[in-house]
Amino acid sequence: MKLYDTKEKAITEMKRRKTMYIEDTENDFTYMENESSENCIVFADELSKTGDDREGEFHICVAELEVE
């Protein structure tokens, strides 16, 4: 987990990581656009070609924390 001082910086990093995983042809991760949102990107591991079966998944998400 990383902390950023602005939401914009966190979103920029999230988009960078999304692009990195999509462009990496050596991995078995599939970007799940229909399961992703503005604040959370979902990747499936070893997604089957015949359906939504998968070995696993991971999420890259942004959450805002209040600081006093």
Side-chain angles (χ1 to χ4, degrees):
M1 177 171 55
K2 288 186 175 182
L3 297 177
Y4 297 90
D5 57 352
T6 67
K7 183 176 181 179
E8 291 76 24
K9 288 179 183 178
I11 295 290
T12 298
E13 174 63 11
M14 186 173 79
K15 289 178 182 178
R16 184 195 69 77
R17 291 180 64 195
K18 171 186 164 187
T19 300
M20 179 186 73
Y21 280 106
I22 290 173
E23 292 177 351
D24 183 359
T25 58
E26 298 291 317
N27 69 47
D28 293 329
F29 300 115
T30 303
Y31 170 57
M32 304 301 291
E33 184 174 9
N34 60 332
E35 295 179 29
S36 298
S37 68
E38 179 182 320
N39 293 325
C40 193
I41 299 170
V42 179
F43 285 91
D45 184 24
E46 298 181 15
L47 185 67
S48 73
K49 291 180 176 27
T50 59
D52 282 341
D53 291 335
R54 59 187 90 166
E55 290 297 314
E57 64 186 56
F58 72 93
H59 302 239
I60 302 171
C61 300
V62 172
E64 284 188 77
L65 305 174
E66 288 188 34
V67 178
E68 292 183 19

